[in-house]
């Protein structure tokens, strides 16, 4: 604290009362200027030159549909030049970030770049707002150096972690939706399989039926159907679904189907047993929440019921005792 106080006194003596704010503003500008070379340093991709124009009219005509498909998101094109700054360079970190965003429902190719850009932009934006607040507060009243630093740093930290909090909330909400709709989807799938449909057809039908009630789960089933139509291995498709969802029930379901396909057992029997287990598990979760409810209500009951009851019961007696003391005096 003595170092901050001495530095603040030095800045006030040299630049006046707003000297610390000027120093913080210049420090922020220096940080931004230091990161700009890293952002702008990007080698030209040879494919970019090919996108600008073909060597003949025939090649350009063939490239139009592909260009319209690749360039449907203009915001992602603007972030391409900052890919080295907005994406983790470590492959493991990049894969973990993509998996987390996929679990939150963001499946676009530029999802990781957009996420880090949101962190960077909101962090700088809230930092600038905190700086403005510190300037206004220092002009209208006195602020210590510690209060000034906290008023600038805390909003910047909030802006930086706000996208992460949003993604975590989306992941939790989406997983809860998948857990709630998974037993019903298994029952529908069992009915379709016992009616004579294949597993692929039953997955497509279930995705259509539950789309209005559980869109997240329906989207996962649609991805499975499209990947199977594309010729991808069924076992790998199911394992990818379990990894994308991040739900233990779905992972266990994938394991059951993989074992059924490996050992040649009936898929209908496996679905029947697992669907029954999922229904029992849903009932157990409901009973668990019901058993937790009295414990959660205890604190509210003590805070909002017991004090008024004591006032009603003991209040008249206290009032009479107070009147008797006053009369005796």
């Amino acid at each position: 604290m003595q170092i901050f106080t001495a530095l603040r006194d030095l800045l006030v003596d040299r630049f006046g009362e707003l000297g610390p704010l000027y120093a913080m503003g210049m420090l922020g500008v220096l940080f931004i200027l230091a990161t700009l070379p890293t952002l702008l340093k990007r080698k030209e991709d040879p494919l970019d030159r090919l996108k600008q124009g073909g060597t003949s009219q025939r090649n350009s005509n063939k490239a139009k549909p592909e260009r319209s498909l690749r360039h449907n998101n203009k915001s992602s094109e603007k972030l391409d030049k900052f890919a080295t700054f907005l994406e983790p360079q470590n492959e493991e970190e990049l894969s973990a970030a993509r998996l987390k965003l996929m679990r939150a429902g963001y499946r676009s190719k530029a999802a990781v770049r957009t996420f880090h850009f949101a962190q960077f932009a909101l962090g700088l934006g809230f930092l600038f707002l905190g700086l403005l607040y510190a300037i206004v507060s220092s002009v209208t009243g006195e602020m210590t150096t510690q209060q000034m630093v906290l008023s600038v740093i805390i909003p910047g930290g909030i802006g930086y972690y706000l996208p992460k909090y949003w993604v975590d909330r989306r992941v939790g909400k989406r997983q809860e939706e998948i857990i709630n709709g998974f037993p019903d989807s298994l029952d529908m799938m069992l009915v379709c399989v016992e009616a004579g449909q294949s597993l692929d057809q039953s997955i497509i039908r279930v995705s259509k039926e539950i789309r209005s009630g559980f869109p997240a789960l329906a989207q996962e089933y649609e991805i499975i159907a499209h990947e199977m139509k594309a010729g991808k291995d069924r076992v790998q498709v199911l394992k990818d679904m379990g990894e994308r969802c991040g739900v233990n029930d779905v992972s266990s379901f994938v394991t059951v189907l993989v074992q059924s396909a490996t050992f040649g057992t009936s898929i209908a029997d496996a679905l029947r047993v697992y669907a029954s287990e999922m229904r029992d598990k849903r009932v157990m979760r409901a009973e668990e929440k019901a058993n937790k409810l009295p414990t959660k209500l205890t604190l509210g009951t003590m805070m909002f019921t017991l004090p008024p009851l004591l006032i009603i019961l003991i209040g008249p007696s206290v009032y009479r005792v107070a009147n008797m003391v006053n009369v005796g005096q």
Side-chain angles (χ1 to χ4, degrees), residues 110-124:
V112 179
R113 302 176 190 174
T114 306
F115 172 74
H116 287 90
F117 174 75
Q119 282 189 320
F120 182 74
L122 290 177
L124 288 181

Side-chain angles (χ1 to χ4, degrees), residues 98-165:
R98 285 178 179 173
L99 179 60
K100 187 174 183 179
L101 291 173
M102 288 176 65
R103 290 178 176 177
Y106 302 107
R107 306 181 183 278
S108 62
K109 185 178 179 181
V112 179
R113 302 176 190 174
T114 306
F115 172 74
H116 287 90
F117 174 75
Q119 282 189 320
F120 182 74
L122 290 177
L124 288 181
F126 278 61
L127 187 68
F128 181 71
L129 293 178
L131 183 61
L132 290 179
Y133 172 75
I135 293 174
V136 174
S137 299
S138 63
V139 172
T140 57
E142 294 182 357
M143 286 186 66
T144 62
T145 305
Q146 184 178 5
Q147 293 176 350
M148 189 180 301
V149 172
L150 292 178
S151 64
V152 175
I153 294 178
I154 291 178
I158 293 174
Y160 181 79
Y161 286 102
L162 189 61
K164 185 177 180 180
Y165 171 75

Side-chain angles (χ1 to χ4, degrees), residues 193-207:
V193 171
E194 289 182 343
Q197 292 184 346
S198 63
L199 182 61
D200 301 348
Q201 294 174 346
S202 62
I203 289 175
I204 296 174
R205 183 59 183 268
V206 169
S207 65

Side-chain angles (χ1 to χ4, degrees), residues 239-284:
K239 289 182 179 179
D240 291 342
M241 177 189 176
E243 188 176 1
R244 284 196 308 268
C245 294
V247 178
N248 293 329
D249 296 342
V250 179
S251 301
S252 301
F253 169 70
V254 170
T255 303
V256 169
L257 291 183
V258 171
Q259 291 179 352
S260 177
T262 303
F263 297 106
T265 58
S266 175
I267 296 179
D269 294 339
L271 286 175
R272 186 181 299 106
V273 174
Y274 195 75
S276 178
E277 291 181 359
M278 287 296 101
R279 286 194 298 269
D280 295 339
K281 194 172 182 179
R282 181 168 58 182
V283 173
M284 292 175 62

Side-chain angles (χ1 to χ4, degrees), residues 4 31 60 77 81 86 110 146 170 179 196 207 234 250 260 282 301 309:
F4 285 111
F31 283 151
S60 63
E77 295 178 11
K81 61 177 69 176
L86 296 177
Q146 184 178 5
R170 283 291 301 268
I179 292 173
S207 65
R234 178 184 296 178
V250 179
S260 177
R282 181 168 58 182
T301 303
L309 182 61

